[in-house]
Amino acid sequence: MGDMTNSDFYTKNQRNDSNHEGGFGCSLMELRSLMELRGTEAVVKIQEDYGGTEGLCQRLKTSPTEGLAGLATDLDKRKEVFGRNLIPPKKPKTFLQLVWEALQDVTLIILEIAALISLGLSFYQPPGEGNTDACGDAKAGAEDEGESEAGWIEGAAILLSVVCVVLVTAFNDWSKEKQFRGLQSRIEQEQKFQVVRGGQVIQLPVADILVGDIAQIKYGDLLPADGVLIQGNDLKIDESSLTGESDHVRKAADKDPMLLSGTHVMEGSGRMVVTAVGVNSQSGIIFTLLGAGGEEEEKKEKKVKKQDGAAAMEMQPLKSAEGGETEEKEKKKTSVSKKEKSVLQGKLTKLAVQIGKAGLVMSAITVIILVLYFAIDTFVRQKRPWLTECTPIYIQYFVKFFIIGVTVLVVAVPEGLPLAVTISLAYSVKKMMKDNNLVRHLDACETMGNATAICSDKTGTLTTNRMTAVQVYVADVHYKTIPEPTSLPSKTLDILVNAISLNSAYTTKILPADKEGGLPKQVGNKTECGLLGLVLDLKRDYQTIRNQIPEEKLYKVYTFNSVRKSMSTVIKLPDGSFRMYSKGASEIILKKCSRILSEVGEPRVFRPRDRDEMVKKVIEPMACDGLRTICVGYRDFPKDPEPNWEDENNILTDLTAICVVGIEDPVRPEVPDAIQKCQRAGITVRMVTGDNINTARAIAIKCGIIHPGEDFLCIDGKEFNRRIRNEKGEVEQERIDKVWPKLRVLARSSPTDKHTLVKGIIDSTLVDQRQVVAVTGDGTNDGPALKKADVGFAMGIAGTDVAKEASDIILTDDNFSSIVKAVMWGRNVYDSISKFLQFQLTVNVVAVIVAFTGACITQDSPLKAVQMLWVNLIMDTFASLALATEPPTESLLMRKPYGRNKPLISSTMTKNILGHGVYQLVIIFSLLFVGEQIFDIDSGRNAPLHSPPSEHYTIIFNTFVMMQLFNEINARKIHGERNVFDGIFRNPIFCSIVVGTFAIQIVIVQFGGKPFSCSPLDLEKWMWCVFLGMGELVWGQVISTIPNSKLRFLRGAGQLTQKDEMPEEEMNEDQEEIDHAERELRRGQILWFRGLNRIQTQIEVVNTFKSGTAFQGALRRQSSTTSQNQDVTNVSSPSHVSLCNALSSPTSTAAPSGQC
């Protein structure tokens, strides 16, 4: 019969026959369609078509226990037939596309047009040559020099410099994108998965997993491929990323064996055979749809724009008149989520726009003044008629004026600002890799600089996560060191060794050390490793026991989870009865014990008062030594009636205690020092742990989180909840505000406690600055807290995939001191940007004023268009490179964090900008108006069109550049430090840029000639230019002598930018920033949520208006959805108006209270 179905099956699938050439019993398409089934349907299909999972494994030529043999030929064949476990990334933008994007810049386009007009006119020769005198002195000067042919040079030079600017910008973007891709691939390579090959369990990079592999899955994994469950213990999966259902799905080989890639294992463990990888897996199919959709979408986008508005309006029928506005916000949001914008980038973009607007006004005025002056002078004072043959000459004048105006604008627009941020962040991220920080979201790096609180895990972060059993209470004796096996009753010893060996994940092992004389390697759960270490210390071998009862023979496993806080395993004894071994937190297991093994190894009664005595005499002393206490117990069940294993409460009681083990996890040696640095830097470190309160307190004292005699809170989860919840059991912000400022240790905390604490600190309004909270986490259950925090750190070694997915930065060495490095880098980014700003604004102010006044007084800007572009290039691009790559120093940790709304330009910076601006203007105007007398040269003022470059204006240009160069050195310090050369050689990029700029400047002045409007200078004049430039350094010392307190008006100047930068919408955006991670939910999911939540809210609002009683329900939903998904904050339906007083969610953009 079996043969019959098989042959039947083959005839049915004749068309897929080509795929069977690989010699596998099933084709790619069959497996793909198999993975689309769920539940019993899938079980039936596997049973009928393949003869169960065994049959499926045979068809795929793999063994359910040994896995693939791992032969290279076989692996290559599988890759060929079933594909690799890779989802091809979207194509990066080519260099030409980036060039095209850089060309879209408005100011550059204006310049190009002006240059082209100028070029065109220079080639146009007016007819009537003899008549030129009639055009007045417009043509004179140029003719005498025989220079009229050179008119095209300026236009060409402008075009050339535009090309330079574009290439530099495109190159920067390109290298940024390249770094990003490198980062992405690095993150992907980090992810490994446990696979059985040739009977050995190995860690394999996710990309190398193939169809037919046997993968071991456990709590906290993110499944890398689709598969069918062969054997599972208590397995629960969160499939919300694919289905949107938030309930965890129970999986079992006989009920629902289908496991899908991209889903999270929330509980239990098991083994699966991989059936689909890469683009053929369920999440891969979705990705390819998205990827293919991407290109089509771009084409459609233009058409869709109009429909989009209509659709959005349909989506929100219950909206008040503010339809358009929400739409705008919606658009803004999606654009924000596509390109991450950090707080700093937001502030900077706003600042750049304001400066740009001011520049636009200035340039417009410049052009108007020039044109009017020329017109009045030529046609009114000299009373010349407008002659047609003179038109091109006049137009050429107007074009020249227009070009001057545009250059003023070019210099005024600080396009280097966004560039500086990007360079600084990208540079920091690259360097942070070396400091064991793998940054997943760029802006996390900068947010970290403002962190005011860190909520850290204990195990693995503050401690080494190398568990060793050091004390044990067994057979009525408390041993302070591990006892000799001979001193224990043999019965007790046997039960103890079995209980530990069988009742722990079989993936947990202790392997011999890598190096001679090193410590043995602990693999898997570290607490279990500590217990297995105890078995080895008692001269027994856990592996022989596991070999007698392999994993498939375990009758039932209750895996560890944060609710149970214990793990139990049931085995069937030879006589048919059952024995269950349990282990877990000592206070939890002891509560369930009614007997204990006595000194002779026989069970005796264990009463509540015995338990209290044991807690006092054994558990508390162990905990006060900073030990984690684990209790091991067991229980026997008769063979019939067989107990109801699903009824957990009745199974996990009436245990017999075997022993209590004290496990030590020593504090990492570098942690106390790191914590001290944090406290100096104004960052509060709090410890949030699942451990016993006494253990937690002991470790906190060792780390220096608390010091004896100080007034701080150390409480456990129960007490914490009692203090923060009201009678109804709801969390109240006012209550949290009473707890968190003094809280330093939160013990026995559940993941929800951690999330509540983080949310409470972030939402608190107790202090004037909003707290910026960083959180570390490694478990699956830490996901919500990591997402909620401003910066989430996941552990790279001990962290589960779920935690990494929710985090912003991954600590590749799981070490707390790396967090301190992240703080240092974050603050450095902020300072680098400030340095650049100080330099940039000085140049902007000076260049704009010089061009403007020069144009008004002498009808010609002292700094020519091409020169301005060169200055702009060194100011913007090179300076941003030089100043944004300063390495951080320890001194950054000596100050308190800046707040989120501190103005970008501090009063010291304002003082420096104005001070240096004054010096530069005085020098340049002196040179402009009396320079020809000082140097005894021809004046360059009022030169006619196309006249050759004058030495006079060359000196002005050269001095201007020299002053910028030396001011760049001044800009390295922004907190009023005296020594601006401090650590300058630690930054080779800075040095090379300064030297490079100087060299190019020499070339431009000596050989630039007509295109750069420069005439060569002799050595003496060069010395003067450099000397005037060096005056900047001396002047810098003078400025830093002036105390800020004397300059009251500067405070206003510093604040001003804050008001400009943080209007109301920015405040809302701030709130968007907070929930940045929540927006990182996959985009598809966001759309789902949006649609669903809108519909739900609308239905609820309708019901509310019908009944008038369901207010509470609607409210609760509303506030939960608002916090659940940030994108729903704009459900601005009438429910807001009626319910807005009650809406306490911080993110809801409710109607202003006036309307309530």
Side-chain angles (χ1 to χ4, degrees), residues 868-882:
M868 289 273 223
L869 280 171
W870 160 239
V871 170
N872 200 40
L873 190 74
I874 59 168
M875 276 172 11
D876 275 358
T877 317
F878 295 158
S880 62
L881 248 179

Side-chain angles (χ1 to χ4, degrees), residues 303-582:
K303 294 180 201 165
V304 175
K305 280 276 156 64
K306 292 167 195 159
Q307 301 164 14
D308 206 38
M313 292 304 282
E314 267 165 45
M315 283 290 273
Q316 311 157 317
L318 284 175
K319 282 235 314 285
S320 38
E322 50 198 18
E325 181 189 82
T326 320
E327 172 95 47
E328 283 301 293
K329 276 189 195 150
E330 195 79 309
K331 272 190 194 148
K332 193 151 89 193
K333 271 199 188 144
T334 46
S335 69
V336 169
S337 65
K338 271 183 198 166
K339 250 193 178 169
E340 295 176 4
K341 241 199 194 160
S342 61
V343 185
L344 184 60
Q345 270 169 316
K347 282 184 183 178
L348 281 175
T349 315
K350 276 214 155 48
L351 186 68
V353 167
Q354 283 156 4
I355 299 173
K357 280 180 187 162
L360 193 63
V361 172
M362 292 288 275
S363 64
I365 297 176
T366 314
V367 174
I368 293 168
I369 290 180
L370 285 169
V371 170
L372 284 176
Y373 188 98
F374 174 79
I376 291 170
D377 187 49
T378 311
F379 302 121
V380 179
R381 276 185 38 223
Q382 300 180 19
K383 297 194 172 55
R384 293 182 181 280
W386 178 295
L387 298 173
T388 42
E389 61 264 30
C390 292
T391 309
I393 297 172
Y394 295 147
I395 289 182
Q396 231 164 329
Y397 263 108
F398 290 145
V399 170
K400 178 180 159 187
F401 299 151
F402 180 62
I403 288 179
I404 292 173
V406 175
T407 20
V408 172
L409 178 65
V410 170
V411 175
V413 175
E415 63 272 32
L417 276 185
L419 183 71
V421 185
T422 319
I423 291 179
S424 183
L425 285 175
Y427 171 77
S428 303
V429 166
K430 204 171 166 182
K431 289 281 188 234
M432 280 169 82
M433 293 273 237
K434 294 194 176 112
D435 286 340
N436 303 308
N437 283 302
L438 187 70
V439 183
R440 293 183 68 235
H441 299 142
L442 261 190
D443 57 339
C445 164
E446 162 234 320
T447 313
M448 207 45 222
N450 294 335
T452 55
I454 298 176
C455 296
S456 172
D457 265 3
K458 176 181 77 73
T459 314
T461 315
L462 299 172
T463 58
T464 55
N465 201 10
R466 236 206 105 76
M467 307 279 191
T468 25
V470 287
Q471 297 186 17
V472 60
Y473 177 88
V474 62
D476 285 345
V477 186
H478 182 177
Y479 294 96
K480 295 280 183 167
T481 55
I482 303 299
E484 283 298 313
T486 47
S487 58
L488 300 180
S490 57
K491 241 185 191 169
T492 310
L493 188 58
D494 285 344
I495 289 184
L496 171 61
V497 170
N498 275 324
I500 292 174
S501 307
L502 298 174
N503 184 30
S504 56
Y506 276 33
T507 48
T508 304
K509 298 187 178 76
I510 293 184
L511 303 175
D514 287 341
K515 298 187 195 79
E516 279 288 310
L519 293 166
K521 226 165 76 175
Q522 299 189 338
V523 181
N525 181 314
K526 297 297 190 265
T527 311
E528 288 181 353
C529 286
L531 291 170
L532 291 176
L534 172 67
V535 172
L536 297 175
D537 288 343
L538 292 170
K539 313 279 188 285
R540 293 295 189 90
D541 183 12
Y542 61 86
Q543 198 53 54
T544 47
I545 299 170
R546 285 181 174 181
N547 294 345
Q548 288 160 9
I549 305 181
E551 200 166 4
E552 355 357 314
K553 289 212 182 140
L554 299 178
Y555 198 77
K556 170 91 182 144
V557 180
Y558 300 95
T559 48
F560 180 90
N561 64 27
S562 52
V563 181
R564 284 189 194 126
K565 291 253 191 229
S566 67
M567 172 180 178
S568 309
T569 303
V570 182
I571 57 165
K572 203 170 188 173
L573 297 175
D575 62 357
S577 64
F578 301 98
R579 173 170 285 177
M580 177 181 76
Y581 295 115
S582 280

